[in-house]
């Protein structure tokens, strides 16, 4: 089972009434610094502040009424939890969110604020999965994995579809990679829409499991990575890995300093708030591990959820 | 002499090739918190990060070639200096900028970065004016005052013109007031374009000279005000005051806490970077000194230039 361009087109039609069609921004300072013509697809301006709302919306609205009535369930403490909570709320169905008891209060509040029904568990993967399974059994809710789920992948691919509608002559498209939901959806949408387009991924050096997985030809799990890009800590999945292997030209790793500088540059010059995970794609433009000179480069700014009290460039 | 709606329309045509047509953004969280339908005209996304680029561009491009060749001159250490430097640079003419020697290094660099020719002087108004006058005499450059200048006022009015093209049924439009360039231009553009529209100004309580000027019926100068909204420290001018007196319904003052909370809210929820001066218009929606319930309210986010190392909500 995999995801086709038709799945992505269907997803785009399905979620259109619910999501924001995010703008594409350009910035002269960025172009000069990058030596390329850069187009930014602003998923930080998406609902809940991240592209995750696309996949969650597609998963929620694809359910038939009878399934939907029983709700959806996931375990996540990140943007996916908020996205699924809001998407379910908009359809008027319950979202059961399993979070580790040590998740930051701000994230608990955010999920609850979108109407998610939060269950806390011990902060281990086993506890999260067993808690989720017991909720699934008692409620009949549909499980929505944050990335290893066809409908989620198809939903994430809709950002690239819009991007190429707005800027059809992109030479390259760069997306960050964590679990690979955005990257796999992007790579299908881009390569099936435009012949010869190059799809490149950005990954923190300090969490380079996807880079190593592509080199090894098998999934190498991410073990306790430490990076400021806290949206990119997860490992590739059984669905996302083969898609990425087939369609992504290469994964470019970027330094922590590069990520932080890129984030600050975008805040200062483009006047938009992006999170460190989103800044990885800008860092690719600068660290010059690949030559993009003179090209039309599309980057997906994946999200804008940051704690404004703790900015990474401050001591 | 004053400024007509035709002057603003002429300015709009003149500067169109040079400026960004900034987007209008909405945010569901903001609507809920304000109890109104709020539209944000994002001049923080304008070139140089502020509406000031409109007025400066109009002043620069309105010059006949012979005048233009001699350049433009102003004294300013704020957004106007950067705006004039870039506008002149784009026309290929010199911009002489007089700055006090104690201006922050980051502002000196910004002006120089846009190609401005900076002259430093003692940090007194007298020194600034005499330095500017001697440059004017030796170069023949045209003086471009930051706000008390018809072409500048007409240029600033173009933001409201675009705003009402995009959202024709606004009930109210709110702009911040410092020297009054943006407010006077906005008030002419709005009231001449749409009958019955209400124009309201936002001003920090701690720099409420415009509020007191309207009450007194004469310009009351701003004396050494202390507010986080550092773009709003100046006093009304001989040109801006009568326009504001005639066309602005009222000036609403807002607290320092309100400004900082509003700024943080917009960064967190709308994911865009605005400066404290711009946040005053959002604070008006919250401090509930006027009733805007259920109305379509347009606010002009005047700029986004902030020092990311020193954010006002941090100790």
């Amino acid at each position: 089972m995999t995801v086709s361009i038709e799945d992505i087109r269907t997803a785009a039609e399905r979620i259109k009434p619910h999501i924001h069609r995010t703008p594409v921004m350009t910035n002269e300072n960025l172009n000069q610094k990058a030596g390329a013509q850069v187009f930014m697809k602003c998923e930080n301006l998406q609902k809940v502040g991240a592209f995750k709302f696309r996949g969650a919306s597609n998963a929620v609205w694809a359910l038939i009424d009878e399934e939907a009535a029983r709700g959806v369930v996931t375990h996540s403490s990140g943007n996916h939890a908020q996205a699924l909570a809001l998407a379910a709320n908009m359809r008027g169905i319950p979202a059961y969110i399993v979070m580790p008891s040590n998740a930051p209060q701000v994230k608990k509040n955010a999920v609850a604020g979108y109407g998610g029904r939060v269950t806390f568990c011990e902060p281990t993967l086993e506890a999260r999965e067993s808690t989720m399974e017991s909720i699934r059994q008692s409620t009949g809710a549909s499980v929505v994995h944050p990335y290893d789920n066809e409908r989620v992948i198809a939903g994430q691919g809709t950002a690239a579809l819009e991007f190429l509608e707005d800027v059809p002559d992109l030479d390259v498209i760069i997306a960050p990679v964590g679990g690979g939901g955005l990257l796999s959806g992007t790579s299908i949408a881009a390569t099936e829409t435009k012949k010869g387009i190059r799809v490149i991924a950005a990954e923190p050096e300090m969490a380079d499991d996807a880079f190593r997985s592509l080199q090894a030809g098998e999934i190498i799990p991410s073990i306790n990575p430490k990076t400021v890009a806290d949206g990119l800590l997860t490992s590739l999945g059984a669905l996302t890995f083969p898609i990425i292997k087939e369609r992504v030209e290469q994964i470019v790793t970027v330094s922590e300093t590069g990520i932080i500088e890129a984030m600050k540059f975008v805040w200062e010059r483009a006047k938009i708030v992006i999170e460190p995970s989103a800044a990885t794609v800008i860092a690719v433009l600068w660290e010059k591990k690949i030559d993009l000179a003179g090209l039309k480069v599309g980057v997906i700014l994946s999200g804008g959820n940051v704690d404004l009290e703790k900015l990474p460039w401050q001591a």
Side-chain angles (χ1 to χ4, degrees), chain A residues 18 70 87 121 137 154 157 169 192 210-211 253 261 276 284 288 310:
Chain A
H18 310 297
R70 296 192 294 267
C121 69
Q137 287 185 8
D169 52 351
E192 295 293 328
F211 174 80
T253 58
E261 275 177 14
V284 167
K288 308 270 181 194
K310 275 190 257 172

Side-chain angles (χ1 to χ4, degrees), chain A residues 219-238:
Chain A
I219 299 175
I220 295 184
S222 180
I223 297 172
N224 206 18
K226 297 260 183 291
T227 168
V228 65
D230 59 355
L232 306 179
L233 301 176
T234 43
S235 312
L236 295 178

